[in-house]
Amino acid sequence: MYSIYDYAYNGLLCLNNLMRPHHKQLSQLMIYATTACQSRCKHCNIWQKPVEHLALDDIRRVMQSRCITRRTTVGLEGGEFLLHPQASDIMAWFRAHHPNYTLLTNGLAPRRVVDAVRRYRPRHLYVSLDGGGATYRRMRGCDGYDRVIQVVELLRGEVPLSLMFCLSPWNSFDDMAFVIEVAKRYGVDVRIGIYGTMAFFDTTSELLAASDFVRQIPPGIRHTQENFDFVALYDEWRNGRLRLRCHSIMSSLVIHSNGNVPLCQNLEVILGNIHSQPLDEIFNGAPACHTQGRYSRSCNGCWINFHRKYDIILLRNMERLLPKWLIEKFYGPYQWTADPRTTYCQYLKSL
């Protein structure tokens, strides 16, 4: 999914952010620009929130921050981002001034998605798909499967495209296998996530129980080790056998539609608000650095892919080159009961 250059860049950025905490740079910035959404998902209740939008002027001001570089990947999300009244203007601005941006959509308005992608050329398109037609209706409260497939058929080959699958209490590993096969059929990427409790989305269900996840992982995932590691290690984390420090909060950030900037997607810890503070102060000021340092040393409280894939990929690639004791000299102690690479090889042999 990522190039060797991506891994090297993120490794160097991690080192910079650890050594120069008041001059950190962002590898990724996620902007939840609107709460408007036409879906009625069980695993996300943002559609029940009052509708609010982050204005283009606010986004332009944020993008002038020193912590954002041309290498920072900016994601535009919602709700459904394309329901933002300034969606076209925002994407036009990004195409002209920061082309390294991505779009996440539910795909329920195919012509709008296709027109936006062809006009404004996001670097990557992410389309949510959590199973076939029946599963889609159960999870998202509407008939959207065929519309998602229409988006994929029209745009594959025009833009790098990923199907976003979320394993949740309302679908299954069979649905994961189904989405992986859809991605294979159309020659597109698939990204696997696992349901988590996020305050911004007003999620209410309990986390998934974990029992023998590895045996249930569909064979089609075997070509994407990053997805495999994330799903297999959930079993370890959920059952208290895995501890990773959360370094992603030192280089990844989220901005909500009301301007709030949380420490992470899991905790209701707000670093500041862009309507009252510059983003550089929010992210790199002394209070933020103190909070980030405290949580990065101790927090192991979620398995949200936005955060935890960062540390899995970082450590797995460092372990290719360095012994664990040396990594821990600057990363800090971490624990997983099995080497993910060994687990992955054992999994492949069992197929």
Side-chain angles (χ1 to χ4, degrees), residues 320-340:
R320 297 179 191 274
L321 305 172
L322 303 171
K324 184 173 185 286
W325 67 267
L326 184 56
I327 295 170
E328 289 185 328
K329 287 290 185 181
F330 67 90
Y331 178 87
Y334 65 96
Q335 173 70 38
W336 41 40
T337 57
D339 182 342

Side-chain angles (χ1 to χ4, degrees), residues 88-306:
S88 294
D89 293 335
I90 293 170
M91 294 183 73
W93 186 92
F94 272 97
R95 182 178 185 183
H97 300 283
H98 193 90
N100 187 25
Y101 81 100
T102 67
L103 173 66
L104 175 66
T105 178
N106 57 29
L108 291 178
R111 294 312 314 176
R112 185 178 294 182
V113 175
V114 172
D115 180 67
V117 168
R118 289 176 175 170
R119 283 175 180 265
Y120 306 117
R121 312 308 302 177
R123 189 64 54 86
H124 203 113
L125 176 67
Y126 298 95
V127 187
S128 300
L129 185 63
D130 304 305
T135 298
Y136 197 103
R137 286 190 295 275
R138 181 170 63 252
M139 282 189 68
R140 295 180 174 263
C142 60
D143 286 313
Y145 174 79
D146 290 338
R147 283 177 274 179
V148 169
I149 296 302
Q150 184 180 354
V151 169
V152 175
E153 289 178 339
L154 290 171
L155 290 177
R156 64 183 179 125
E158 293 191 30
V159 63
L161 193 154
S162 295
L163 294 177
M164 300 290 287
F165 174 88
C166 179
L167 184 67
S168 76
W170 301 278
N171 61 0
S172 67
F173 279 97
D174 288 339
D175 293 305
M176 183 189 294
F178 179 87
V179 172
I180 290 171
E181 286 305 308
V182 171
K184 182 179 178 182
R185 183 190 321 146
Y186 288 105
V188 299
D189 178 38
V190 62
R191 306 285 173 98
I192 306 296
I194 297 176
Y195 171 82
T197 55
M198 302 187 204
F200 181 65
F201 298 113
D202 290 340
T203 50
T204 55
S205 181
E206 293 295 320
L207 295 177
L208 290 171
S211 178
D212 200 17
F213 257 40
V214 175
R215 287 185 180 274
Q216 299 180 69
I217 297 174
I221 207 174
R222 64 183 179 270
H223 298 301
T224 51
Q225 186 173 352
E226 291 155 15
N227 282 327
F228 175 86
D229 287 349
F230 179 71
V231 177
L233 289 173
Y234 178 82
D235 195 337
E236 301 284 291
W237 172 78
R238 191 73 169 95
N239 290 296
R241 298 188 296 267
L242 177 147
R243 175 161 289 278
L244 295 182
R245 295 177 60 171
C246 187
H247 277 293
S248 72
I249 60 174
M250 308 293 280
S251 65
S252 302
L253 206 60
V254 166
I255 300 177
H256 290 163
S257 53
N258 62 2
N260 277 345
V261 180
L263 172 72
C264 71
Q265 294 205 39
N266 184 58
L267 300 172
E268 295 185 72
V269 177
I270 304 301
L271 297 177
N273 188 291
I274 63 165
H275 297 308
S276 57
Q277 294 171 274
L279 186 65
D280 286 315
E281 179 182 325
I282 293 171
F283 183 58
N284 279 327
C289 291
H290 174 76
T291 301
Q292 292 159 344
R294 179 161 59 92
Y295 279 95
S296 72
R297 287 190 296 270
S298 61
C299 191
N300 189 45
C302 82
W303 203 249
I304 296 169
N305 60 337
F306 181 76

